Amino acid sequence: MNGVHDMGGMHGFGPVEPEANEPVFHAPWEGRVLALRRAASAWRRWNIDAGRHSIERLPPADYLRMSYYEKWFASSIRLLLDAGLITPQELATGRRDPTSPIATPPLTADKVPVAIAAGGPTLRQISAQPRFAAGAAVRARDINPTGHTRLPRYVRGRQGVIECHHGAHVFPDSNSRFEGENPQYLYTVRFAARELWGDSAHASDSVHLDLWEDYLDAA
Amino acid sequence: MSHDHEHDHDHHHDHGQDIPSDTALRVKALESLLIEKGLVDPAALDAVVDTYENKIGPRNGARIVARAWTDPDYKARLMGDATAAIAEMGYTGAQGEHMVVVENTPEVHNLVVCTLCSCYPWPVLGLPPVWYKSSAYRSRAVIEPRGVLNEFGLSVPDDVAVRVWDSTAEIRYLVLPERPAGTDGMDAEALAALVTRDAMVGVAKVAGPAAKEGA
């Protein structure tokens, strides 16, 4: 979707402001939000792409105003409701619907180290050969899907060069819609900064993106 | 858990106060509900928080960098298959499933960003700092990387190319900074102490021991 989350190249957000001696969490609730998301994800009612899309779908003004963990919290509520793990009534009252069964959590403390160390690899084996070889000229497609995509606006229609491929990876556009992993080759594509931003960019600079085969045409 | 009144409190995130913020109360309410329903295990929540607060952080990445500086065979493995070479050191998993290391040289400076969200190599750097997740960094790193680097106090000469890595997929990037001068006799442990998170994202260089002491 052409959302406000797709920020590459925008102006007006001011300087980058690093914080000295920044803590991992600025308040305990931030850590709880992270942990709740991780633990609730273990129900496998959504995937990482649907999770990202739920953040992208926050109203644009809210997206810009909220902190990172506020966004995660709001999107987690959305995911829990959409998955039917909680009901609007339960959310409003903060109490379990007494007629609903009590579940057994899939992620217990003893499983946390293994779950974090395993992560969720997206590499898949496919029989097809890569369409593009290293050094090939490609053009990012000018697509404007209303759903989740990882093709930023700032490269659409622009020409780049294939640096390498990383094997076949789960395709976020379909996976976010629960329409299957559709694994396909993932390439690092190098775009000259001037191809993206014009003559004001430095002649020797470049921007590298990881783009799936369905985002690319031969140039 | 009503949202009706949240807009009255949006600008009062005074985390240092004794009175919990509206958000803190709402998070607590959701946590209690999920525990009551048996959807999450409170001990698992504690374990996740403890992992990211205390066990995973940029010291992991610093050990990778220091070993690459001191062990040419390791560096070759790291540049060839970063995921495997980093796993050798015990760092794997969530948000670092597929790793690539990009090397700074006298000719090339690398900078990592995620313009679409906040992707960051958690197993080697921990959770990202607020500035990395900020709209300012995400919007500007790709269009004016040299301006952003200047704000971090790093002026990249005209004859050095800047390569920006926008983390649009599940590949996570770690910058291998240049080893600073004046560190010839130092072992990997002493070198790791010099390596900062910012240098491994690409917004800083690694300072030598004298410069660090004076900072």
Side-chain angles (χ1 to χ4, degrees):
Chain A
M1 64 184 282
N2 292 344
V4 71
H5 70 281
D6 185 358
M7 292 184 164
M10 288 178 75
H11 289 136
F13 289 116
V16 180
E17 295 175 328
E19 176 185 343
N21 303 312
E22 183 176 339
V24 174
F25 300 114
H26 288 75
W29 68 262
E30 294 189 342
R32 304 314 280 184
V33 167
L34 173 80
L36 284 170
R37 178 62 158 260
R38 185 66 191 76
S41 295
W43 283 95
R44 298 181 176 277
R45 298 295 180 85
W46 59 80
N47 55 54
I48 192 166
D49 300 304
R52 289 200 180 108
H53 191 45
S54 75
I55 296 177
E56 295 163 5
R57 285 185 299 159
L58 292 169
D62 291 341
Y63 184 99
L64 292 175
R65 175 181 50 78
M66 288 173 160
S67 73
Y68 176 76
Y69 289 109
E70 286 173 322
K71 280 181 272 203
W72 269 45
F73 181 53
S75 93
S76 294
I77 289 172
R78 186 76 261 157
L79 290 166
L80 287 162
L81 287 168
D82 288 351
L85 290 172
I86 61 172
T87 66
Q89 177 71 13
E90 288 176 323
L91 183 66
T93 62
R95 300 308 305 266
R96 178 178 72 89
D97 175 349
T99 65
S100 73
I102 295 178
T104 302
L107 184 69
T108 47
D110 57 305
K111 293 180 188 159
V112 165
V114 171
I116 288 177
T122 54
L123 184 66
R124 299 290 184 268
Q125 294 298 322
I126 63 171
S127 53
Q129 293 300 305
R131 243 183 97 202
F132 305 110
V138 292
R139 188 174 297 280
R141 289 181 177 163
D142 188 6
I143 55 171
N144 292 272
T146 55
H148 182 64
T149 187
R150 298 290 287 182
L151 178 64
R153 268 174 289 189
Y154 76 90
V155 299
R156 294 178 195 168
R158 307 299 172 131
Q159 187 171 323
V161 176
I162 299 283
E163 288 255 300
C164 63
H165 77 71
H166 298 281
H169 283 253
V170 174
F171 187 51
D173 302 42
S174 58
N175 198 43
S176 64
R177 295 191 302 264
F178 307 104
E179 289 174 3
E181 293 192 336
N182 185 19
Q184 50 187 273
Y185 283 94
L186 177 71
Y187 303 86
T188 296
V189 183
R190 180 178 76 249
F191 294 88
R194 285 194 169 170
E195 166 73 5
L196 301 176
W197 315 114
D199 290 346
S200 64
H202 197 286
S204 56
D205 292 354
S206 54
V207 184
H208 302 233
L209 291 84
D210 293 322
L211 302 176
W212 281 263
E213 210 157 79
D214 273 3
Y215 296 163
L216 300 170
D217 284 317
Chain B
M1 294 299 294
S2 166
H3 293 225
D4 294 346
H5 300 292
E6 74 171 47
H7 295 286
D8 295 332
H9 302 288
D10 286 343
H11 303 289
H12 297 284
H13 299 288
D14 299 325
H15 304 310
Q17 285 186 180
D18 291 339
I19 303 165
S21 71
D22 187 53
T23 306
L25 291 172
R26 293 173 59 219
V27 171
K28 184 70 195 164
L30 182 68
E31 179 178 335
S32 301
L33 174 63
L34 297 186
I35 291 169
E36 188 191 354
K37 287 176 68 68
L39 293 171
V40 303
D41 168 16
L45 303 179
D46 294 341
V48 172
V49 171
D50 179 57
T51 299
Y52 288 107
E53 200 150 42
N54 301 312
K55 294 180 178 159
I56 296 180
R59 291 302 95 210
N60 294 0
R63 288 186 199 106
I64 303 287
V65 168
R67 185 163 175 201
W69 283 345
T70 52
D71 179 347
D73 291 340
Y74 182 75
K75 183 182 169 187
R77 295 200 295 283
L78 185 67
M79 301 313 293
D81 183 348
T83 310
I86 291 169
E88 275 181 48
M89 301 282 279
Y91 313 132
T92 65
Q95 289 305 305
E97 291 92 343
H98 309 287
M99 291 292 306
V100 166
V101 170
V102 290
E103 183 181 13
N104 284 350
T105 68
E107 293 81 34
V108 174
H109 183 86
N110 294 284
L111 177 68
V112 179
V113 64
C114 172
T115 61
L116 295 172
C117 46
S118 303
C119 297
Y120 189 78
W122 291 10
V124 287
L125 294 186
L127 298 175
V130 167
W131 64 258
Y132 183 87
K133 302 177 284 192
S134 70
S135 303
Y137 184 72
R138 288 167 51 193
S139 62
R140 294 174 56 212
V142 288
I143 189 171
E144 47 162 337
R146 288 167 189 264
V148 169
L149 292 171
N150 268 322
E151 287 171 22
F152 278 90
L154 184 59
S155 173
V156 179
D158 263 350
D159 60 351
V160 175
V162 174
R163 290 184 188 159
V164 181
W165 301 84
D166 188 356
S167 314
T168 46
E170 299 304 332
I171 312 295
R172 296 289 168 269
Y173 290 90
L174 182 74
V175 175
L176 176 58
E178 288 175 274
R179 180 171 173 166
T183 59
D184 284 354
M186 293 173 70
D187 64 14
E189 193 183 337
L191 287 167
L194 301 176
V195 180
T196 63
R197 173 198 70 199
D198 286 4
M200 293 182 280
V201 179
V203 295
K205 285 178 172 277
V206 176
K212 190 180 171 71
E213 218 159 88

